[in-house]
Amino acid sequence: MTENPQRQKSTPLETLIGVFGYPAFRPYQEGIINSLIRGEDAFVLMPTGGGKSLCYQIPALHRPGVGIVVSPLISLMKDQVDALRANGVAAAFYNSTLGEREARRVLMELHDGRIDLLYVAPERLMGDAFLERLAELEIALFAIDEAHCISQWGHDFRPEYIQISRLRRLFPGVPVIALTATADHQTREDILIRLGISRAACHITGFDRPNIRYTVEDKRKPFAQLLDFLRFREPYDAGIVYALSRKRVEEVAARLSAEGFAAAPYHAGLPDRERQRVQEAFQCDDLQVVVATVAFGMGIDKPNVRFVVHYDLPKNIESYYQETGRAGRDGLPAEALLLFGYGDIAIARGLIENGGNPEQNRIELHKLNSMVGFAEALICRRRVLLGYFGESLAEDCGNCDICLNPPERYEATEDARKALSCVYRVGQRFGMGHVIDVLRGSRNERVRELGHDRLSTYGIGATLGQEEWGGIIRQLVHLGYLEQDLARYSVLRLTETARPLLRGEQTLILARPRIRPVSAKKPKRGSRPGDNGKGCNEMLFQALRALRKEIANREGVPPFVVFGDATLTEMAARRPVDAGELLSVSGVGQHKLGKYGAEFLRVITGFDESA
Ligand code: ADP
Ligand code: ZN
């Protein structure tokens, strides 16, 4: 505890600047860090890329003893530890990949108080021998990463996490911080109870990922559309293309390779070794595109994934959000493109209907419908996404295809009122299909049997087509005038918001349904992501990238461990000429300055514009 100067002397902010090289905390980070330093428990729900790691890394440096980090993914531990070491932090991991000698060395360092952060797999941590060792040591904190793995409610339950529940009783005085990016209310409660930290302060940040641009394109000629999209990217931008089947994955990867892209397939049918190779090549910037089934992702901790393309329709919004969330973890602009084909809906529906129990199927069908609703949305995509997770945006995002290329709007008060009153007339007990049938005056059997052809709203919407009414009703759902009951056949019901509209006290502008979605405007090429108009020199940026890659190879770490893209972009824009200026670039801390500063300064100062 003596060799670490942060502990006594500096503030968390000074550690952020000096060790990690970042000029300011992100929202929430500072509060969480301070409460943990005071010894309080914390629960943190932040989106991927939100900056969760610093929330326990900095307190571990400021509290006496070693910080123990529980993480489920062995493949990620090494990267995390490499990244910390690159900043001069005494970090290590302890898991089954270590040889006997290495493991013994880690334990010795641990005993000597020479480790500030130890990453441990849960089953290792909870072994009796290891717990006995810990009992003799001073422990700064326990950080439980991917904390939803402890809950059976969560989508990623891991039995080995259950054991962690004992930590609180075994180490009553040590603060516990639980972190996750995916927890609904039930899972959240479950995490707190299981970890025995029900009094923990909950820090819940928004779900929004403002740097990701969401675009949905009508799926016409998917491969040609993918090529079109990729050709608008910089040739070194890395990304993931998700497809539904192994066969499609193989096919798209082969065609991309034939077009000259550094692309590779990834799916559960490939041998472990091959999958490992693809993953590492991607981490190390040696592969540009990974075409993958959803098997690819959990083990990916690459901050500079610039795009995620969905070649096929994801099965629900949760998956879509998680998969697109792998883009832009470094906070720089990133793209999420969904190719949306009506045929895909039928395929997805078929897969669900062939599956297990009816109750489950109904929920999955509803979730699929919400996904389709997103793809068909005529209002800001981000509003729909966040709305799905129970969050609302104060205004349209300005960074999705709808905001950038808005559909035509029209005075829709009359139409909306017709739809709402029809929902009311059928007793708020039917889904969209039936409501539209009644509105359009359908003669189908169900309508007649129910006597709905005698309702006052029967046939009042005959001038509009089925798809148009679908578009209107979905907008009413997204805007909160109607709600769909998940548990009961997606039944439509009015909300309080609908009243003034029904009573004629309010008017409403809606987007005119685009029966054939117009393809989205392409992002402008030219400006580099993160450039912010500061005039990042492209050639200098390339030279810095080459140097980064050289250093990464030399040290056997992924390039982003040396410096992130944002840091290189800032260097290429500001062109620091000495150590002091280089240190003020975000992402350059004292340790990296000492280690790499001279090499980077040499490239920057020796850069010849005219060459
Ligand atoms: P999460 O675990 O929430 O997905 P990370 O902790 O990996 O996210 O952080 C995502 C990225 O943001 C990392 O590259 C990290 O270094 C960076 N980051 C975190 N906090 C800050 C900050 N205050 N300033 C600048 N970059 C930050
Ligand atoms: Zn938007």
Side-chain angles (χ1 to χ4, degrees):
M1 279 132 272
T2 43
E3 74 275 19
N4 193 329
Q6 271 81 45
R7 267 180 193 139
Q8 276 81 30
K9 299 196 199 93
S10 54
T11 64
L13 180 62
E14 283 163 344
T15 303
L16 179 77
I17 298 169
V19 177
F20 295 92
Y22 296 133
F25 281 113
R26 296 223 179 118
Y28 293 88
Q29 283 178 330
E30 197 166 18
I32 298 167
I33 288 169
N34 284 326
S35 74
L36 215 61
I37 293 177
R38 288 195 299 270
E40 297 161 16
D41 298 329
F43 172 84
V44 176
L45 175 57
M46 250 187 216
T48 310
K52 287 187 283 299
S53 320
L54 287 182
C55 295
Y56 55 82
Q57 288 169 348
I58 291 181
L61 297 179
H62 280 259
R63 283 178 62 85
V66 57
I68 305 285
V69 186
V70 182
S71 169
L73 293 164
I74 288 177
S75 59
L76 295 190
M77 284 187 197
K78 187 171 178 309
D79 284 348
Q80 294 253 11
V81 167
D82 281 344
L84 282 164
R85 286 193 181 150
N87 281 321
V89 176
F93 61 83
Y94 188 68
N95 63 33
S96 54
T97 64
L98 286 184
E100 207 175 313
R101 272 244 306 281
E102 290 166 294
R104 211 163 326 122
R105 190 176 45 77
V106 170
L107 292 179
M108 216 158 70
E109 289 181 1
L110 186 64
H111 263 275
D112 296 347
R114 279 185 282 148
I115 296 180
D116 281 320
L117 272 158
L118 183 71
Y119 285 72
V120 199
E123 61 278 10
R124 278 274 158 138
L125 170 64
M126 300 314 289
D128 287 339
F130 194 75
L131 287 174
E132 265 167 42
R133 279 175 194 282
L134 283 191
E136 295 168 11
L137 299 174
E138 189 157 22
I139 299 176
L141 54 87
F142 288 107
I144 317 297
D145 207 4
E146 312 287 350
H148 57 276
C149 293
I150 202 172
S151 168
Q152 270 155 319
W153 291 108
H155 55 79
D156 196 28
F157 173 62
R158 285 165 187 253
E160 67 272 20
Y161 256 62
I162 288 286
Q163 286 296 318
I164 309 175
S165 315
R166 293 162 52 214
L167 281 180
R168 176 33 46 100
R169 262 175 293 124
L170 293 171
F171 302 91
V174 179
V176 172
I177 174 171
L179 309 104
T180 177
T182 52
D184 52 54
H185 202 76
Q186 225 158 16
T187 312
R188 194 192 309 163
E189 296 290 301
D190 209 26
I191 293 172
L192 294 177
I193 292 169
R194 284 181 185 267
L195 289 177
I197 55 168
S198 34
R199 306 247 295 279
C202 292
H203 305 271
I204 296 166
T205 75
F207 257 94
D208 192 15
R209 300 287 310 282
N211 60 318
I212 299 181
R213 174 178 296 177
Y214 300 98
T215 302
V216 180
E217 269 188 40
D218 195 10
K219 189 167 172 177
R220 298 174 306 264
K221 292 183 176 161
F223 190 74
Q225 286 170 282
L226 176 63
L227 277 187
D228 225 32
F229 173 81
L230 292 178
R231 288 193 176 123
F232 266 95
R233 317 287 326 168
E234 300 294 350
Y236 46 79
D237 280 355
I240 307 171
V241 177
Y242 283 110
L244 206 57
S245 66
R246 293 177 189 183
K247 188 165 155 256
R248 179 100 49 120
V249 162
E250 299 273 357
E251 174 204 313
V252 173
R255 289 180 72 183
L256 282 179
S257 302
E259 293 284 340
F261 290 92
Y266 185 106
H267 56 70
L270 293 170
D272 279 354
R273 267 235 309 291
E274 174 60 9
R275 285 193 306 192
Q276 185 76 16
R277 189 195 68 77
V278 170
Q279 188 155 322
E280 276 170 18
F282 191 57
Q283 298 277 67
C284 291
D285 295 353
D286 291 330
L287 266 180
Q288 190 197 354
V289 188
V290 174
V291 188
T293 58
V294 291
F296 186 68
M298 263 304 260
I300 283 300
D301 195 19
K302 185 179 164 72
N304 60 339
V305 173
R306 291 269 69 83
F307 61 85
V308 169
V309 176
H310 281 88
Y311 206 81
D312 298 308
L313 189 67
K315 63 183 193 303
N316 54 46
I317 290 188
E318 285 91 340
S319 316
Y320 172 74
Y321 205 64
Q322 194 176 37
E323 285 148 23
T324 54
R326 291 181 184 130
R329 290 185 64 158
D330 54 11
L332 297 179
E335 296 269 348
L337 171 68
L338 165 63
L339 299 179
F340 173 59
Y342 281 86
D344 290 352
I345 306 176
I347 295 174
R349 206 163 272 156
L351 285 176
I352 293 172
E353 279 160 0
N354 287 333
N357 77 64
E359 179 64 17
Q360 190 67 31
N361 290 355
R362 205 160 69 203
I363 293 173
E364 286 191 20
L365 278 178
H366 175 87
K367 291 193 167 197
L368 176 65
N369 287 342
S370 303
M371 186 65 225
V372 172
F374 165 79
E376 288 179 333
L378 294 162
I379 62 167
C380 172
R381 306 264 181 221
R382 202 175 307 270
R383 274 187 192 273
V384 181
L385 283 176
L386 294 180
Y388 183 80
F389 295 112
E391 236 177 73
S392 61
L393 269 184
E395 47 192 54
D396 285 355
C397 77
N399 193 25
C400 71
D401 60 328
I402 299 283
C403 285
L404 293 166
N405 182 20
E408 188 197 339
R409 312 216 155 230
Y410 78 113
E411 217 297 317
T413 313
E414 247 341 280
D415 288 345
R417 221 181 273 152
K418 284 177 184 171
L420 294 176
S421 39
C422 193
V423 168
Y424 182 74
R425 289 291 163 210
V426 299
Q428 312 192 63
R429 285 170 39 235
F430 293 87
M432 191 176 334
H434 184 74
V435 170
I436 293 175
D437 280 348
V438 174
L439 275 170
R440 300 191 62 236
S442 158
R443 289 182 209 290
N444 85 28
E445 215 169 302
R446 189 143 172 256
V447 172
R448 276 183 288 142
E449 268 172 20
L450 289 160
H452 285 175
D453 51 353
R454 296 193 299 275
L455 294 176
S456 60
T457 54
Y458 180 77
I460 58 172
T463 52
L464 293 184
Q466 191 173 1
E467 302 234 11
E468 286 163 303
W469 276 118
I472 290 167
I473 292 176
R474 270 188 290 270
Q475 289 182 73
L476 292 173
V477 172
H478 298 318
L479 292 170
Y481 292 97
L482 288 172
E483 57 188 16
Q484 270 178 309
D485 189 341
L486 172 135
R488 293 183 45 239
Y489 303 98
S490 305
V491 159
L492 290 171
R493 277 198 301 254
L494 302 178
T495 66
E496 277 304 304
T497 325
R499 277 170 198 256
L501 192 57
L502 269 173
R503 283 199 299 254
E505 296 163 6
Q506 198 199 322
T507 59
L508 185 66
I509 305 285
L510 291 182
R512 191 170 304 283
R514 287 199 289 216
I515 303 310
R516 302 198 139 274
V518 187
S519 105
K521 217 182 276 172
K522 294 283 163 8
K524 272 202 204 79
R525 198 194 158 115
S527 67
R528 279 204 29 75
D531 170 354
N532 297 333
K534 272 182 275 178
C536 158
N537 185 292
E538 183 63 36
M539 292 212 333
L540 177 53
F541 178 78
Q542 290 306 336
L544 295 173
R545 267 186 100 239
L547 172 60
R548 171 176 73 174
K549 179 74 179 151
E550 188 188 311
I551 295 175
N553 288 350
R554 188 172 79 207
E555 306 204 337
V557 295
F560 61 78
V561 165
V562 178
F563 283 125
D565 285 6
T567 303
L568 296 195
T569 307
E570 198 177 323
M571 282 186 199
R574 289 182 33 197
R575 304 206 196 172
V577 295
D578 56 33
E581 287 184 20
L582 189 56
L583 196 56
S584 73
V585 171
S586 176
V588 184
Q590 287 292 352
H591 192 81
K592 286 186 180 174
L593 176 72
K595 233 168 136 191
Y596 313 127
E599 282 174 281
F600 278 89
L601 281 174
R602 208 171 307 130
V603 168
I604 296 167
T605 51
F607 179 71
D608 183 357
E609 200 90 37
S610 54

